[in-house]
Amino acid sequence: MRRGPSPFLVAMVAAGLVFLYAPIALLILYSFNASQLVTVWGGTSLRWYAALAHDEQMLDAVSVSLRVGLISASLATGLGLLAAVALVRGGRFRGRTAFSGMVYAPLVMPEVILGLALLLLFVSLKLPRGFWTVTAGHATVTLCYATVVIQARLAGFDRSLEEAAQDLGLSPARAFLAVTLPNIAPAVAAAWMLAFTLSLDDLVIASFTSGPGATTLPMRLYSQVRLGVNPEINAVSTLLIGVVAAGVVAAFLIQQGKTKT
Amino acid sequence: MSAPLVRFEGVTRRFGAEAAVDDVSLEIAEGEFFALLGPSGCGKTTLMRLLAGFEAPDAGRILLAGEDLAGVPPHRRPVHMMFQAYALFPHLSVARNVAFGLKAQGRARAEIDARVEEMLALVKLEGLGGRKPDQLSGGQKQRVALARALAPAPKLLLLDEPMAALDRKLREETQLELRTLQRQLGLTFLIVTHDQDEAMVTADRLAVMRTGRIVQVGPPAEVYERPIDRFVAGFLGEVNLFEGPDGCTGVRPERMALSRAEPKAAGRLPGKVAEAGYLGDRTVYVIEAAGRTLRAAQPSGGDAFRVGDAVWVSWPATAVMRLAE
Ligand SMILES: Nc1ncnc2c1ncn2[C@@H]1O[C@H](COP(=O)(O)OP(=O)(O)OP(=O)(O)O)[C@@H](O)[C@H]1O
Ligand SMILES: [Mg+2]
């Protein structure tokens, strides 16, 4: 006799999903609310999306966030790839333990402290704070996540494939590019997506490291919310969710495609 | 024999305190099919990796066509290796796997395509060039690995247990094919195996290794019929051992004769059949004789003995092998 999952389990899973997604669903729903009042339903409308299109400040924040995300995710992925290669392939080089500890520390370090540390660094270097300091801050913080993702894949990668490529006449560097990189590409793409998403929704680091003219989207949203929630925020948040969801689905499809062909 | 293509001179490779390859000196002639034989962990793969350049010797030198290979990285050695687990590139099609070495040499596109076709035909994989490695059977993968290693026409091809993943029938077929291929192309093959039948079927000469050392080198028949010690004798096949006052001797089961009447051979013992195993072309008997257990293999078609029969076991003086230790 085959028994289905117990009602208790089903209820718990349902409760969990509701807990996680009900607020988001509500937010998306209210972004289409015609009413000015956030809690009163006044029929469906796209007026907040239209309003968004004319909100220069909001659009500027979106543009800053996207650019910071693109650049910092690319930096973090590139550096993360190098760190992963050093950790997986470097053998027991001097200071390996210290190196891996330092790469992973930001995973458990409170973000506030990291932000403060970065701020102190930039101030003492007399760097003007703005777009590039936020980007550097995000690259630093997301580097460890990128490293973890790539390292896991690289550790499981069969070294003899690389040796076979060298045996057939490619130098070690070319063998890495021709054989290893294509095979760990899904992990590299996933690492990039992860870094990009983390950058996109970061508020803490950005608040510490940003300066005039470089207000990211979460910073803009946060400052607006303090003045009172308005449905336009729901609209921009819905768009943000859309971008992130598209990214996650894309990363998933890349992985699927890789394993199928 | 022409000048040696490969020469190991006192080569040692240590991992920690243990020597995986221990003071090995060996010569392989051009055009030879040479087999390295030994139990698991005796250093066969390590010896091969030393030659391919993935390990560096701690002592001694390795010469290829008279030139010292020290410091030459793997990608500059005219030696190709077929890996123990094939190591096909999963992201590339069969054709692009085979083309890999040619591309690395920077050959022209048309030449590469022609050569790939030729190689796929050689290993009987025409028409499968577009497949990915995970769409192939074990035997087909093995052929792709072979074609990939052969395509750039290496001076020396190293094969690390190329047939370990194949079933028995396919393995026997492939062994003979490999032999034919090597003769046709006039290449030098060094094959690693821990299967003594494989080594004996394919090789011109073989070397038996044990814990990093080479115990005996010679043509298969010579090593089989005149093994220098008990380890080699036992590794290459079954052997009946006799401890005498003047050392240890051995007799192969197929050199043992069985008869009901007392024979006049140099060595003979009366005994009783304890077990009989029919193998088709021959029957293997286990005989209890004078407190010891002997094995005798008789070709099928002759007098058959039953369990419990009283028999005489005998062997000619020429069948006695003198074994060290
Ligand atoms: N990279 C390594 N680090 C440490 N020890 C090693 C390394 N490679 C091989 N060894 C050791 O060296 C010895 C010989 O290994 P090798 O792989 O050459 O054996 P093999 O004869 O090919 O065995 P098999 O028939 O199982 O493939 C083994 O004891 C093995 O544990
Ligand atoms: Mg081996």
Side-chain angles (χ1 to χ4, degrees), chain A residues 157-172 174-175 177-180 182-183 258-261, chain B residues 49 52 54 74-75 77 79-83 87-91 97 100-101 103-105 132 134 148-149 152:
Chain A
F157 178 74
D158 183 3
R159 189 88 205 254
S160 67
L161 292 182
E162 217 172 283
E163 288 184 343
Q166 288 181 33
D167 189 66
L168 289 165
L170 292 192
S171 65
R174 284 177 66 205
L177 293 179
V179 171
T180 313
N183 281 292
K258 275 288 167 193
T259 51
K260 234 189 334 193
T261 50
Chain B
R49 289 172 61 84
F54 295 116
H75 63 282
R77 298 190 181 195
V79 172
H80 290 332
M81 184 158 168
M82 190 178 148
F83 285 74
L88 297 179
F89 306 126
H91 62 299
N97 262 282
F100 200 91
K103 244 187 208 151
Q105 292 180 345
K132 285 278 171 70
D134 60 3
R148 185 179 72 180

Side-chain angles (χ1 to χ4, degrees), chain B residues 44-46 84 160-161 192:
Chain B
K44 306 180 297 290
T45 297
T46 307
Q84 201 159 356
D160 195 355
E161 308 210 8
V192 157

Side-chain angles (χ1 to χ4, degrees), chain B residues 41-84:
Chain B
C42 71
K44 306 180 297 290
T45 297
T46 307
L47 196 65
M48 205 163 250
R49 289 172 61 84
L50 283 163
L51 195 46
F54 295 116
E55 304 282 352
D58 293 314
R61 16 178 241 162
I62 304 169
L63 307 176
L64 184 73
E67 278 178 49
D68 194 342
L69 284 177
V72 181
H75 63 282
R76 299 238 170 75
R77 298 190 181 195
V79 172
H80 290 332
M81 184 158 168
M82 190 178 148
F83 285 74
Q84 201 159 356

Side-chain angles (χ1 to χ4, degrees), chain B residues 80-281:
Chain B
H80 290 332
M81 184 158 168
M82 190 178 148
F83 285 74
Q84 201 159 356
Y86 307 147
L88 297 179
F89 306 126
H91 62 299
L92 298 179
S93 67
V94 165
R96 292 185 61 191
N97 262 282
V98 176
F100 200 91
L102 300 165
K103 244 187 208 151
Q105 292 180 345
R107 307 269 193 97
R109 185 67 198 266
E111 190 192 343
I112 293 179
D113 291 347
R115 181 81 178 153
V116 167
E117 281 304 305
E118 188 189 337
M119 282 298 124
L120 288 180
L122 189 71
V123 298
K124 305 200 189 78
L125 285 177
E126 299 104 324
L128 292 190
R131 295 240 191 127
K132 285 278 171 70
D134 60 3
Q135 298 168 323
L136 299 176
S137 74
Q140 290 169 333
K141 278 186 197 156
Q142 183 260 326
R143 283 150 198 271
V144 176
L146 183 63
R148 185 179 72 180
L150 279 174
K155 273 192 193 168
L156 174 65
L157 187 62
L158 310 177
L159 303 117
D160 195 355
E161 308 210 8
M163 287 165 262
L166 305 187
D167 67 44
R168 190 192 157 92
K169 188 162 173 342
L170 197 56
R171 187 154 64 207
E172 285 172 2
E173 270 172 36
T174 316
Q175 284 162 3
L176 294 174
E177 275 172 27
L178 213 55
R179 182 75 247 223
T180 314
L181 207 63
Q182 182 261 347
R183 216 172 268 152
Q184 272 174 6
L185 303 177
L187 299 177
T188 310
F189 276 24
L190 171 59
I191 189 171
V192 157
T193 173
H194 56 231
D195 176 347
Q196 64 276 10
D197 293 335
E198 189 165 296
M200 295 213 280
V201 166
T202 53
D204 294 314
R205 285 196 308 149
L206 56 82
V208 180
M209 280 185 82
R210 183 189 191 184
T211 55
R213 290 179 160 272
I214 296 216
V215 191
Q216 189 172 4
V217 185
E222 182 188 308
V223 180
Y224 183 79
E225 284 161 28
R226 269 174 285 142
I228 65 164
D229 64 15
R230 291 170 58 158
F231 170 75
V232 175
F235 198 77
L236 282 189
E238 299 251 23
V239 64
N240 294 299
L241 294 173
F242 298 95
E243 306 275 358
D246 49 346
C248 177
T249 57
V251 178
R252 298 274 182 208
E254 71 275 9
R255 303 296 303 269
M256 294 280 194
L258 294 182
S259 58
R260 295 187 200 275
E262 182 171 356
K264 293 199 184 63
R268 56 181 186 275
L269 285 170
K272 210 164 97 178
V273 177
E275 206 65 69
Y278 178 70
L279 292 175
D281 58 338

